Amino acid sequence: MWSAAEDASWGRAVARGLLRGDTSPVAGRLAGNGPQAWIAFDEEMRGLQRAHGPRIPCERLEARLCHPDGRVRAAALAAWRNPPLQLVLIRCADWVPQVRDRARRVLGRAVAAHDPAEALTGLTPFVLRLGGRRHGAWAVEQLEAALSGRYSLLAAWWRPGRPCTTWSLNALTPEQRDRILARLRGTADLATRRFATRVTLAAGRCGVREAARRAATEPDPVTGGMWTDAVLAAMAADGPDDEAVDTLLGSRSARVRAAGVTALRRAGRAARAVDHLADRSGEVRACARWLLGQDGGDPYAYYCGLLTDPHRVSGHAVTGFREVAGQADGPLLFPLLHHPDGAVRAAALAALRGLGLVVEEALLLAMLEDPSASVAREAALCLLRVAEGLDPAALAARTGPEWPAHTRRAAFRLLEGRGGSAELRACVAMLTDPDPGLGLRARARVLGWNWLSTLDEGEAHQAELGALLARSARLLSVDRLRM
């Protein structure tokens, strides 16, 4: 699937091809592309005709339908028996009223000749893209009315003297509308998913449990929020539904789970908030603490119980405890630095650092070599405040290729924090590091390094700097090397 930028580029290329005499149908060349391809084709074609009018093959109806002159566009609409619906839709938002009106009548006839599910599913992303134009809201209103079944759209496309014998979008049955909306809700286009969800919810054809299921499984946060709000509104009006609440609580989305936790109170299940005090999301943990407090419980006491139970404690539990703890709670956190679970060790380090409590330097240096990458990272963050006083040789030794990548990253971060010639030596040594990220960081530091300043400050001997410069020569320009 192409991006919008690629679609636009292809649309402009097709327009230029038409200028060069390409005889292949434009609809065939743009088939399968998104709305932006057609919009770009229209804009490019109009610009080309404005700049090179006599050179454009105006016998092509595609070119005439995009002509700068509104009379030419209107004539093309009248002459073309089976125009591409995408170009007709663009003309439905035309700035010339006569072109707009004619395009809307043509669209009515064209849509009537197509399968409704195919036509509406294919046109919806296009309609929504054009909805932001000055006259683009008309198509959005027509589409929404058709899918909600509020009124007949044929009247908008009918004119006196033309019999109303063609298919009307108002003839869609509720089952047809449901099928079309289901297809639109499943599309990859986010604007279409959100539009279809809004129409579905406005029609009120989705029960609270079905809405909860959609909220829990929806990958788009905005659409998921719409379903979630609908679930909460339904339960506020009709009473709690335990199955819907449990569905929300099982979602992978933090916002949806937080809504489920909040809904526990109305469902009379506030005591179950303790199950979510160690959630991976801070938003959910905060909702659980609030709910537990409203129910007369003590989140702090529950966290303390979790931390002192080696079988129940988790990294998220430690993080949640940090959110209610103070400096006096250090004795509960220090023993967790030796917990067998790396996530717990890392969370304990982060909590101690956040509380401003000092961990023994020797222990932190040893934790740089921890098998857990998160522990090594947190240990480096704890040591940054004293990086200038650390032994540079010991840190440099941990950047060797025999160490795991996360240990090398942690040691290099401390050497960066220390600065000076120790950092330069590490950067040059890591230019060929097997970890792409580390190698890129080292090269960026070497490229921006002020070699003369290092020499003037006497941080390294001239011979050593010369050797480091020689190893870095392939990265530097001739002017930098000459300097």
Side-chain angles (χ1 to χ4, degrees):
M1 187 176 184
W2 285 12
S3 67
E6 291 171 325
D7 278 336
S9 178
W10 177 242
R12 290 190 290 268
V14 172
R16 292 191 292 269
L18 197 64
L19 172 64
R20 293 191 295 268
D22 188 344
T23 59
S24 58
V26 170
R29 299 197 68 191
L30 293 181
N33 292 94
Q36 202 58 44
W38 292 91
I39 294 171
F41 170 83
D42 172 60
E43 295 172 350
E44 184 77 3
M45 197 75 250
R46 185 166 56 256
L48 289 172
Q49 292 182 95
R50 186 177 287 116
H52 311 288
R55 296 171 51 198
I56 297 293
C58 279
E59 68 276 4
R60 292 291 298 273
L61 286 169
E62 295 97 328
R64 292 166 60 189
L65 203 55
C66 306
H67 199 277
D69 191 330
R71 291 166 296 186
V72 176
R73 297 196 299 277
L77 283 167
W80 206 341
R81 296 298 93 192
N82 188 28
L85 293 182
Q86 294 87 345
L87 288 179
V88 177
L89 264 176
I90 293 177
R91 297 283 71 87
C92 287
D94 202 279
W95 58 95
V96 178
Q98 294 84 350
V99 177
R100 262 195 328 269
D101 294 342
R102 176 163 288 179
R104 292 172 183 180
R105 292 195 296 270
V106 171
L107 181 67
R109 293 194 301 269
V111 170
H114 287 74
D115 174 72
E118 292 294 334
L120 294 183
T121 304
L123 291 180
T124 297
F126 209 110
V127 169
L128 297 176
R129 291 295 187 282
L130 295 173
R133 295 191 175 186
R134 181 179 179 184
H135 302 289
W138 175 87
V140 178
E141 293 168 359
Q142 303 305 302
L143 178 63
E144 186 169 350
L147 293 176
S148 60
R150 291 199 303 269
Y151 55 85
S152 173
L153 302 187
L154 195 58
W157 296 323
W158 177 81
R159 61 180 178 179
R162 185 177 299 277
C164 295
T165 57
T166 56
W167 171 81
S168 168
L169 288 181
N170 194 50
L172 288 173
T173 66
E175 291 73 18
Q176 285 178 309
R177 288 196 292 271
D178 287 345
R179 284 198 298 271
I180 294 171
L181 286 170
R183 292 181 64 176
L184 295 178
R185 290 194 303 267
T187 184
D189 183 71
L190 293 183
T192 302
R193 292 172 74 95
R194 295 167 185 175
F195 170 80
T197 299
R198 179 169 58 81
V199 173
T200 301
L201 292 174
R205 296 177 61 85
C206 189
V208 65
R209 295 182 178 180
E210 175 65 15
R213 187 186 66 80
R214 295 189 179 280
T217 57
E218 173 59 52
D220 174 38
V222 175
T223 308
M226 294 166 66
W227 288 114
T228 303
D229 292 342
V231 173
L232 296 180
M235 290 195 293
D238 303 328
D241 185 295
D242 286 343
E243 183 175 328
V245 173
D246 290 337
T247 302
L248 296 179
L249 292 173
S251 173
R252 297 182 62 183
S253 166
R255 179 184 175 185
V256 177
R257 292 200 308 279
V261 170
T262 305
L264 286 172
R265 186 185 189 191
R266 187 181 293 273
R269 299 163 58 192
R272 304 306 305 167
V274 297
D275 298 336
H276 306 279
L277 288 174
D279 192 273
R280 60 184 178 274
S281 164
E283 179 183 4
V284 177
R285 293 193 300 268
C287 287
R289 288 195 296 270
W290 172 83
L291 182 56
L292 193 60
Q294 292 292 309
D295 194 47
D298 184 0
Y300 175 84
Y302 185 80
Y303 278 126
C304 289
L306 283 179
L307 266 61
T308 54
D309 186 341
H311 301 293
R312 296 172 61 208
V313 66
S314 66
H316 298 308
V318 177
T319 303
F321 177 69
R322 160 66 186 92
E323 292 163 350
V324 298
Q327 285 195 332
D329 295 304
L332 282 173
L333 292 168
F334 279 108
L336 298 177
L337 298 179
H338 305 283
H339 194 277
D341 185 353
V344 173
R345 297 195 300 275
L349 275 176
L352 290 166
R353 177 168 55 86
L355 292 172
L357 298 173
V358 177
V359 182
E360 185 182 352
E361 186 176 301
L363 177 59
L364 290 173
L365 287 170
M367 296 180 88
L368 295 176
E369 306 169 11
D370 195 278
S372 168
S374 57
V375 174
R377 181 174 60 251
E378 289 296 338
L381 290 175
C382 291
L383 285 168
L384 272 178
R385 61 183 180 82
V386 294
E388 293 185 1
L390 299 177
D391 179 10
L395 295 177
R398 291 181 171 90
T399 62
E402 68 277 8
W403 291 99
H406 65 266
T407 297
R408 300 201 304 275
R409 281 194 293 269
F412 186 56
R413 171 175 284 186
L414 291 171
L415 286 166
E416 284 181 314
R418 194 179 191 284
S421 59
E423 179 189 0
L424 177 60
R425 294 186 194 100
C427 288
V428 173
M430 301 185 77
L431 289 176
T432 57
D433 193 275
D435 181 85
L438 274 175
L440 185 64
R441 280 172 58 186
R443 286 191 289 276
R445 296 294 291 168
V446 168
L447 284 171
W449 195 267
N450 189 334
W451 296 80
L452 293 179
S453 175
T454 304
L455 179 63
D456 292 340
E457 293 174 6
E459 293 183 359
H461 296 297
Q462 184 173 354
E464 182 188 12
L465 277 179
L468 293 174
L469 186 61
R471 293 172 61 186
S472 311
R474 62 184 177 84
L475 297 177
L476 304 175
S477 66
V478 174
D479 292 339
R480 290 288 305 276
L481 287 172
R482 184 180 294 116
M483 184 184 300

